[in-house]
């Protein structure tokens, strides 16, 4: 079974850039999901319901924020 890694974030955020750099250095393949912070997606609210902020990692359907 392949690991599925998604990164929800905004392109200009320094926190998201740091996460992207770390994933690339470690050679982890991931899918980047661009978020609009003025109109937050249902997935972002589902995976980070308390803070509603980015970045949010989703590994095999489990959020790691």
């Amino acid at each position: 079974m392949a690991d599925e890694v998604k990164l929800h974030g905004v392109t200009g955020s320094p926190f998201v850039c740091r996460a992207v750099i770390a994933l690339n250095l470690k050679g982890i393949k991931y899918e980047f999901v661009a978020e609009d912070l003025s109109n937050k997606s249902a997935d972002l609210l589902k995976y980070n319901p308390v803070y509603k902020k980015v970045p949010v990692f989703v590994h095999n359907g489990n959020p790691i924020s």
Side-chain angles (χ1 to χ4, degrees):
M1 180 172 114
D3 289 336
E4 179 183 331
V5 178
K6 291 184 181 179
L7 175 63
H8 293 260
V10 179
T11 305
S13 169
F15 305 108
V16 175
C17 287
R18 184 169 58 177
V20 167
I21 290 169
L23 288 171
N24 288 335
L25 284 174
K26 292 189 174 280
I28 298 172
K29 294 183 181 182
Y30 63 95
E31 176 187 350
F32 183 75
V33 180
E35 293 288 343
D36 179 15
L37 294 182
S38 62
N39 186 16
K40 297 178 180 168
S41 70
D43 283 341
L44 177 63
L45 298 176
K46 177 177 128 182
Y47 292 130
N48 195 357
V50 176
Y51 297 111
K52 302 173 182 79
K53 294 183 180 181
V54 293
V56 174
F57 287 107
V58 180
H59 182 257
N60 291 332
N62 297 321
I64 304 168
S65 50

